[in-house]
Amino acid sequence: ITATPDGRLGYAQPLQRLQIDTRDNALAVESTGNARVYVNEERFWVGSGESPTITAYTESGLPDPDRRILIEGLPQSPFGHVFTGRNQAFLFADRVYQWDPEVMAIRGTQSLESARRENRSPDLGLGVVRGGRVYVVTRYAPFPNIDDNVYVAVLDETTGEVIDVLEDARGQQTGSVELAEDGTIYVASSNGFVLPRFGTDLVQPSVVLRILPGETDFDPNWQFNVREATGGYDATGFRYAGDGIAYGFVFEKDKAPAEAETNPQLFFTSQSSRWWRFDLNAQTAAPVPNMPAVVSGSGISVKLSCAGSVLLATPTEFPAADNQFYEVRGDAVTPLFRFQGRGQVFELQSCP
């Protein structure tokens, strides 16, 4: 999926193979708005960023005009979502929408009223399913402000009803929720793109917290402190890869121009970020070898669940970035395709 710099046009196309080449949008399908993409079991849907319309796509990458839904009352398609099965997903907006992607219908809704905090409505993002519950990235502060704590909404897997909102003061601004192979849920804070982090006393460090198998709240005795592990840096774009290894898009603040502290444009365009590898068990971190420093405006990562590796992108410009994607498997780093334009990749293949 790629988009124009202003976000007004999006392009979707399937990649049959991960190979060394350059991709453009010549064969892609164009859509309006900054697209939302929903992926589940080799199927994908694209939601418009300018209307509340979601369209199903065929395996060949073409939209299916007979499988489209308009969600009445919303200005655009929701970004936040979680699939709980082949014929059910939750879409998050002003409420929880129970969506049947098979027949393209809304089956019902659930209120988010119980998730409000100090008269602020929750903004639910992506999440994971475990033990009959759905754990979802949750934020309250409107952009560009950040939350003082990490929040995770917990929903019933069947109904989408809010069961609880977990809160932890050891980090700020929930960035991602990832499910490990042993059932551990890792929750990463994401203050890596907040300019005040130049003054490390002004914000909490980036951290990774966990919810152990069989537990329903954060483990109070464990955390991975990104700032300590990296020698003073913060991160965003956390991606769990397996076997206790994760990756993060780390802002190396000493590589950025001094003026970037007060000039967001300089911050986003400076080549002062790099992908790092985190060993959550050993509590260590190191830059991914043989990958260049890149602009701080965006970091893209994709876990390849079948291949046992990750794709990491190195954008060279912001916002109209060409993204060189690398496959990282252990210590091996292999350059693959380059996207011409601001691109994102979603895995469609199913595991054998």
Side-chain angles (χ1 to χ4, degrees), residues 277-291:
R277 184 176 186 265
F278 304 145
D279 188 324
L280 302 179
N281 297 322
Q283 297 273 311
T284 58
V288 177
N290 303 316
M291 292 185 67

Side-chain angles (χ1 to χ4, degrees), residues 23-102:
R23 307 285 177 144
D24 57 27
N25 296 315
L27 301 177
V29 176
E30 183 179 281
S31 62
T32 58
N34 196 351
R36 287 88 164 96
V37 181
Y38 315 100
V39 174
N40 188 45
E41 297 181 2
E42 292 190 295
R43 303 171 301 160
F44 76 104
W45 300 256
V46 176
S48 171
E50 296 188 345
S51 73
T53 303
I54 300 176
T55 303
Y57 275 62
T58 66
E59 291 183 1
S60 60
L62 297 176
D64 185 345
D66 296 325
R67 301 188 63 226
R68 182 173 292 162
I69 186 174
L70 176 69
I71 306 176
E72 298 287 350
L74 295 182
Q76 58 194 16
S77 301
F79 165 76
H81 67 280
V82 174
F83 283 90
T84 60
R86 186 172 181 84
N87 61 355
Q88 177 170 279
F90 296 133
L91 304 174
F92 307 124
D94 59 328
R95 65 197 72 182
V96 179
Y97 291 82
Q98 295 171 276
W99 173 41
D100 186 332
E102 283 288 289

Side-chain angles (χ1 to χ4, degrees), residues 14-311:
L15 307 177
Q16 300 299 332
R17 298 178 305 277
L18 298 180
Q19 60 188 23
I20 300 175
D21 61 6
T22 299
R23 307 285 177 144
D24 57 27
N25 296 315
L27 301 177
V29 176
E30 183 179 281
S31 62
T32 58
N34 196 351
R36 287 88 164 96
V37 181
Y38 315 100
V39 174
N40 188 45
E41 297 181 2
E42 292 190 295
R43 303 171 301 160
F44 76 104
W45 300 256
V46 176
S48 171
E50 296 188 345
S51 73
T53 303
I54 300 176
T55 303
Y57 275 62
T58 66
E59 291 183 1
S60 60
L62 297 176
D64 185 345
D66 296 325
R67 301 188 63 226
R68 182 173 292 162
I69 186 174
L70 176 69
I71 306 176
E72 298 287 350
L74 295 182
Q76 58 194 16
S77 301
F79 165 76
H81 67 280
V82 174
F83 283 90
T84 60
R86 186 172 181 84
N87 61 355
Q88 177 170 279
F90 296 133
L91 304 174
F92 307 124
D94 59 328
R95 65 197 72 182
V96 179
Y97 291 82
Q98 295 171 276
W99 173 41
D100 186 332
E102 283 288 289
V103 300
M104 298 298 284
I106 299 297
R107 299 298 194 188
T109 64
Q110 291 284 353
S111 171
L112 288 171
E113 185 64 29
S114 64
R116 290 175 61 87
R117 291 289 185 273
E118 299 177 355
N119 296 319
R120 295 182 298 171
S121 297
D123 180 8
L124 274 62
L126 306 180
V128 299
V129 181
R130 188 192 74 176
R133 297 186 173 196
V134 183
Y135 296 80
V136 186
V137 170
T138 303
R139 299 169 182 165
Y140 289 95
F143 182 83
N145 301 310
I146 62 171
D147 289 321
D148 291 332
N149 299 324
V150 168
Y151 297 98
V152 174
V154 184
L155 282 62
D156 181 90
E157 179 184 355
T158 302
T159 66
E161 181 181 2
V162 176
I163 298 173
D164 196 4
V165 177
L166 308 182
E167 180 178 349
D168 200 297
R170 288 176 289 175
Q172 292 176 288
Q173 187 85 350
T174 311
S176 60
V177 176
E178 300 265 332
L179 181 63
E181 61 273 30
D182 65 352
T184 298
I185 295 175
Y186 289 105
V187 180
S189 69
S190 183
N191 61 342
F193 282 171
V194 183
L195 290 179
R197 70 189 176 292
F198 276 85
T200 55
D201 58 325
L202 299 180
V203 294
Q204 295 275 25
S206 298
V207 297
V208 181
L209 309 176
R210 73 181 182 186
I211 305 171
L212 289 170
E215 300 295 331
T216 57
D217 207 343
F218 292 110
D219 180 354
N221 301 314
W222 186 93
Q223 69 171 351
F224 179 81
N225 188 312
V226 174
R227 191 179 294 171
E228 288 184 358
T230 60
Y233 299 145
D234 285 309
T236 189
F238 175 85
R239 179 69 64 179
Y240 181 78
D243 296 325
I245 301 299
Y247 294 86
F249 197 63
V250 173
F251 171 59
E252 300 176 351
K253 59 185 178 181
D254 52 322
K255 308 293 195 308
E259 297 82 2
E261 183 172 358
T262 56
N263 186 331
Q265 188 63 23
L266 280 178
F267 162 67
F268 284 119
T269 58
S270 67
Q271 293 192 358
S272 52
S273 291
R274 189 183 302 272
W275 284 105
W276 283 55
R277 184 176 186 265
F278 304 145
D279 188 324
L280 302 179
N281 297 322
Q283 297 273 311
T284 58
V288 177
N290 303 316
M291 292 185 67
V294 294
V295 295
S296 298
S298 61
I300 300 169
S301 60
V302 185
K303 179 182 177 182
L304 298 177
S305 56
C306 297
S309 58
V310 295
L311 288 181

